[in-house]
Amino acid sequence: MKKSVLFGLCFVLVLFLAVPGAISAKEIKVLSQFPMSGIAGSLPEFGWGYIDGMNWVNSKEGGSGVNGKPIKWYLEDMRYSPTVEIANFNKYLAAHSKDEFLMATGYITGGLKPLIDKVNKEEKIPWLDGSYSTEIFGDEGGPTKFPYYYSLGGTYGNQLKLLMKWIKENDKGKGAPKVGLVYSPTAWGRDGIPEAKAYAKKLGLDVVSEIEYPYTATDATNECMTLRKAKAQYVIYHGYSGAGSYTASFFKTAKKILKEVQLMGTHYTSGRFPILVCQASYDGYVGVATRPFFDSVPRSKTPMDNPFVKFVHDFAKKYRPKEYVAHPMKPGGIKDIFLYVEGLSYALMIQKVLVEADNAGDLTREGVKKALDNLVWDFNGMFGGKTFSYKSHTIPMLRMYKAKVVMVDMDGKKVPTGGVYPISDWINTDEVKW
Amino acid sequence: MTDLLQTVGTGTLIGLVYALLGLCVVVIFKASEAFNFAIGEFLVVGSFLFYIMFFDLNLPIFIALPLGLLAAGIVGALIEYLTIKPLLGRNPISMTMITLGLWFFMRACVQLIWGSDTYSFFLDLPDITLETEQFFFLSDPIWAGIFSILTFILVVFFLFRTRWGLAIRAVSEDQAKAMAFGINARFILMIIWAISSICIAVAGVMISNFGALAAGSGIVGLRAIPVVLIGGMDSIGGALVGGLIIGICESLAGAYIEPMGLIGFKDVAPYFVMLIVLFIRPYGLFGTVRIERV
């Protein structure tokens, strides 16, 4: 009898001590949003990369979450809509406590702007974003104005300025090089244009034409004829998806009307996707990018000399075997591994800063912010061993690439082969004196 | 002057494609007084059907094109049979509403089948680029203009020089009377939808050849609205004139107005012209003026 009473008392004592502890054990929650559908096209690769990445960082192989504590992650498709992105964020804010909901990520400038006060003043939650907005992350914005916003790439202003710099350094003609600017009539397209024009003026380049080419254009003949009349020698195409039919239309037309012109562009029109869509007309394109582009056509010919590149391909092969080998232009395959890498990069970055915050003994929103501000990292070798710091709240690493596309006969059809190959080393724009 | 001619020429070639789109709306409107708002989705479906024949099955273009267009015609007839036919005899507004529903339904189906990806589209037609010191007309728009005007002429020939065409015109004039004369109006309507779908597919294939094909390519179909409102909802000649006006107007706005600082005006210009025309002639330039006694 005594034994039973003693056992009962012990059981109650254990319950009394353990259960409240278990109930009060804080969870680590993060929300990520990507444009997996909508006007930018069907891009499930973002989600696949993120899902595989988060599962991996929570596994033993990937470091067991945050020092053994699993990260509870949520993923939403914001359909390239700021409204959806904001609504999702508000929904999660309402459903989760400040102590647990430590970080959020988004992907478009349109979502960042309406959330400025909510994120930076009311909630004070670290927010990683795929936007490279100059207005938010450039000289006019940045950490002092938007302390909780962080971008995973260099601003469009810096990307455009780097293109101008490349023109200046590589132009072999006489007189001021003539530059044409073609951009989308969106906040994205217009972003960085004033900075680029001012920098072009400083370098002595002549911006001879400025065209807003809409996504809804039926063809690009007029735009290309205007550039031809203006005698543009370099055309910078900015604010478009490399996967859009309008991009194919522009490149196809430009290649015929602007035969001697060097076509150039920013991050989202550099990569594998434009090779598949624009084919031979993409040959010779010079672009600037925030990530290593490492997905050749065919994929089997991708150089694996960068440790991060090798890691990503092995990772995708292991976790998405069917999608990795699927036909690139059929639904269900990884069309451009860059998209998969984006999702994966967010997962790696989230784990990295949460672990840093935990190691500093401050696993709170403020602790995560401090971890981001103090972060010095090589991103698992993404930039060829170079490290970056988050002092400008952007990953300021940019690299120039050139496309080489060759059409070959395959089963009686002409198919494109090639890739975009680096023509510069990684450039830390925080260290460039513009 | 050379510049102006170049701009007008470029606009004319695109305008011919718009005219074909306008014709597709007009023939349906004449027969049933319904406006086909799903024209953009018909364009995408027709283009994808051709894509399957030409790019997936690797058929030569002279086989792939007729087969693709035939498939587009069958789809058009089937859609008419399933959605429009049950509404015959009712208010044309209800048919127009159905086409609005079809717009979204077809878009969802396209995304389900082909996803939202962009498909490269290179027809590799013989290069007939016209390049002189003064002018530069690209091969693809010239082919688009040729195919569009040929299709337009074929449809007009079919409507005005064949017995089937006579039956179609009879149904367009008055369904009840045509039926009284022994014409199967229901079947004729199905034929009209099939013809319209084929013409839209021709326009779709030509437009896709400018760039690429995607589920979102259907947005071009909306250009048919200013075309038919300018030309007149029930005028075949009006569709041709309206198409040319829109094409040239877009081209002029892009070449002369946008460089003056009105960036983006090219997209607005067709609707601007449409408003001016509608203020002056509410039934369009060649539309039938209706006098209704109340």
Side-chain angles (χ1 to χ4, degrees):
Chain A
M1 182 66 184
K2 272 184 186 175
K3 269 187 182 177
S4 316
V5 171
L6 196 63
F7 181 77
L9 279 172
C10 286
F11 184 72
V12 170
L13 191 66
V14 166
L15 274 179
F16 184 74
L17 292 173
V19 171
I23 289 168
S24 69
K26 239 178 37 167
E27 283 189 300
I28 306 164
K29 294 175 180 173
V30 292
L31 164 69
S32 285
Q33 302 192 57
F34 295 100
M36 291 180 272
S37 63
I39 56 156
S42 171
L43 306 169
E45 292 93 332
F46 281 126
W48 297 339
Y50 185 75
I51 292 165
D52 296 345
M54 289 310 295
N55 285 336
W56 185 75
V57 300
N58 273 334
S59 72
K60 206 174 172 185
E61 195 188 355
S64 307
V66 181
N67 297 325
K69 300 180 274 286
I71 304 167
K72 192 159 188 182
W73 54 273
Y74 301 93
L75 172 65
E76 292 283 352
D77 173 14
M78 52 79 159
R79 308 200 290 275
Y80 211 86
S81 160
T83 318
V84 176
E85 190 175 275
I86 295 161
N88 283 337
F89 178 58
N90 286 334
K91 186 175 78 182
Y92 281 87
L93 278 181
H96 304 283
S97 76
K98 273 190 179 183
D99 299 352
E100 294 185 334
F101 186 14
L102 299 182
M103 285 179 84
T105 83
Y107 214 79
I108 55 172
T109 313
L112 280 179
K113 287 184 181 173
L115 285 173
I116 286 173
D117 284 346
K118 186 136 212 165
V119 170
N120 294 282
K121 290 179 184 164
E122 294 167 29
E123 290 295 328
K124 296 188 173 176
I125 181 169
W127 179 288
L128 301 177
D129 210 275
S131 162
Y132 304 147
S133 165
T134 317
E135 196 183 331
I136 302 283
F137 299 105
D139 295 339
E140 304 294 313
T144 45
K145 232 173 164 181
F146 312 113
Y148 290 84
Y149 277 162
Y150 297 84
S151 167
L152 261 74
T155 63
Y156 290 118
N158 282 346
Q159 291 183 35
L160 290 164
K161 283 184 335 198
L162 206 56
L163 291 174
M164 297 291 184
K165 197 165 181 275
W166 185 88
I167 293 170
K168 179 71 182 170
E169 287 166 2
N170 290 275
D171 182 69
K172 291 183 178 73
K174 287 176 187 168
K178 292 184 169 66
V179 182
L181 293 172
V182 179
Y183 51 91
S184 60
T186 59
W188 173 20
R190 289 169 186 146
D191 189 84
I193 295 293
E195 289 80 1
K197 280 162 65 182
Y199 190 61
K201 201 175 171 187
K202 190 180 169 190
L203 291 179
L205 310 183
D206 190 6
V207 177
V208 291
S209 184
E210 208 177 314
I211 296 171
E212 284 203 357
Y213 167 62
Y215 299 142
T216 51
T218 313
D219 83 325
T221 310
N222 272 320
E223 286 77 5
C224 292
M225 286 307 290
T226 305
L227 290 162
R228 189 177 148 113
K229 273 189 275 178
K231 296 190 167 57
Q233 297 164 295
Y234 300 88
V235 170
I236 297 176
Y237 182 77
H238 162 62
Y240 301 94
S241 160
S245 56
Y246 42 81
T247 296
S249 189
F250 184 81
F251 276 84
K252 270 173 151 180
T253 312
K255 208 67 183 175
K256 289 171 190 159
I257 294 180
L258 308 166
K259 285 174 192 157
E260 304 298 321
V261 171
Q262 175 65 61
L263 295 175
M264 306 174 83
T266 46
H267 178 82
Y268 285 105
T269 42
S270 308
R272 185 184 208 241
F273 221 147
I275 298 175
L276 299 170
V277 177
C278 307
Q279 302 194 352
S281 56
Y282 193 65
D283 185 45
Y285 164 92
V286 168
V288 60
T290 64
R291 302 274 183 278
F293 279 116
F294 39 73
D295 203 8
S296 303
V297 186
R299 190 162 278 150
S300 56
K301 291 204 172 169
T302 301
M304 299 285 181
D305 46 3
N306 173 313
F308 185 75
V309 170
K310 191 169 181 331
F311 165 75
V312 165
H313 278 267
D314 291 344
F315 195 87
K317 259 187 245 176
K318 186 175 174 184
Y319 293 101
R320 296 279 159 183
K322 277 185 198 162
E323 292 85 349
Y324 186 79
V325 295
H327 190 289
M329 288 315 292
K330 302 282 178 206
I334 297 175
K335 297 173 283 288
D336 188 333
I337 213 160
F338 152 71
L339 302 163
Y340 184 80
V341 168
E342 280 298 278
L344 179 59
S345 301
Y346 276 74
L348 297 175
M349 176 63 91
I350 286 167
Q351 186 196 32
K352 175 79 179 166
V353 292
L354 287 172
V355 168
E356 298 278 325
D358 194 39
N359 288 346
D362 190 8
L363 196 54
T364 61
R365 290 180 181 179
E366 268 321 296
V368 172
K369 178 177 162 41
K370 274 181 202 154
L372 277 163
D373 288 340
N374 296 326
L375 188 70
V376 177
W377 194 25
D378 72 345
F379 220 133
N380 293 0
M382 187 189 276
F383 308 113
K386 288 192 174 183
T387 56
F388 69 93
S389 78
Y390 239 140
K391 65 178 179 189
S392 60
H393 282 205
T394 65
I395 297 180
M397 309 302 283
L398 295 175
R399 197 175 204 186
M400 301 286 298
Y401 288 85
K402 187 165 190 172
K404 186 167 173 54
V405 183
V406 179
M407 300 300 288
V408 296
D409 277 313
M410 197 178 282
D411 304 327
K413 271 166 98 173
K414 287 218 163 189
V415 294
T417 60
V420 286
Y421 304 103
I423 52 171
S424 80
D425 197 358
W426 283 102
I427 298 158
N428 186 330
T429 54
D430 282 352
E431 294 165 3
V432 176
K433 285 182 182 157
W434 298 108
Chain B
M1 188 61 189
T2 315
D3 252 14
L4 182 68
L5 286 175
Q6 167 74 47
T7 310
V8 170
T10 308
T12 304
L13 293 173
I14 300 295
L16 289 170
V17 184
Y18 291 160
L20 186 60
L21 286 174
L23 176 73
C24 303
V25 172
V26 166
V27 290
I28 287 177
F29 185 81
K30 272 175 81 79
S32 57
E33 295 205 341
F35 190 98
N36 181 13
F37 276 107
I39 183 166
E41 303 318 309
F42 275 95
L43 184 147
V44 174
V45 169
S47 306
F48 267 118
L49 290 170
F50 169 77
Y51 186 95
I52 292 172
M53 306 291 172
F54 187 64
F55 293 101
D56 285 349
L57 300 178
N58 251 345
L59 297 172
I61 192 160
F62 57 87
I63 298 174
L65 191 60
L67 279 182
L69 297 182
L70 182 70
I74 291 169
V75 168
L78 199 67
I79 286 173
E80 190 278 338
Y81 182 78
L82 294 174
T83 61
I84 303 294
K85 194 177 169 185
L87 297 175
L88 273 181
R90 300 208 183 158
N91 193 328
I93 293 288
S94 49
M95 284 191 207
T96 304
M97 295 306 289
I98 282 287
T99 67
L100 273 171
L102 271 174
W103 181 356
F104 297 105
F105 176 74
M106 288 172 76
R107 171 164 291 193
C109 289
V110 165
Q111 292 198 336
L112 196 67
I113 300 167
W114 290 288
S116 301
D117 301 322
T118 304
Y119 291 75
S120 65
F121 207 100
F122 287 81
L123 285 184
D124 286 331
L125 295 166
D127 191 357
I128 51 169
T129 301
L130 282 177
E131 190 178 1
T132 64
E133 271 188 30
Q134 284 88 24
F135 299 110
F136 197 117
F137 293 107
L138 282 179
S139 182
D140 291 341
I142 296 176
W143 276 117
I146 291 172
F147 271 101
S148 299
I149 195 70
L150 281 178
T151 312
F152 200 104
I153 291 168
L154 270 175
V155 172
V156 172
F157 180 83
F158 180 78
L159 289 177
F160 292 95
R161 289 284 181 271
T162 64
R163 286 175 66 82
W164 281 98
L166 186 66
I168 289 171
R169 281 185 291 136
V171 171
S172 301
E173 285 288 320
D174 192 320
Q175 271 185 33
K177 272 188 202 166
M179 286 169 92
F181 278 97
I183 295 170
N184 186 346
R186 286 163 190 256
F187 183 69
I188 291 294
L189 263 183
M190 199 161 77
I191 296 285
I192 289 170
W193 274 79
I195 291 171
S196 177
S197 303
I198 289 170
C199 296
I200 299 170
V202 172
V205 169
M206 291 300 117
I207 290 167
S208 301
N209 192 38
F210 293 159
L213 174 61
S217 300
I219 195 93
V220 184
L222 293 179
R223 293 286 201 285
I225 296 175
V227 169
V228 295
L229 289 178
I230 287 173
M233 293 284 287
D234 56 357
S235 169
I236 288 172
L240 182 63
V241 174
L244 291 173
I245 289 175
I246 294 300
I248 294 169
C249 164
E250 262 188 12
S251 195
L252 289 172
Y256 295 104
I257 300 178
E258 284 198 352
M260 286 160 62
L262 274 173
I263 293 169
F265 189 72
K266 187 181 165 182
D267 252 16
V268 184
Y271 300 95
F272 194 66
V273 174
M274 181 188 85
L275 279 176
I276 294 171
V277 171
L278 289 183
F279 274 130
I280 301 163
R281 290 185 65 90
Y283 291 100
L285 294 175
F286 303 98
T288 309
V289 179
R290 292 183 188 197
I291 300 163
E292 285 176 27
R293 290 178 207 284
V294 284

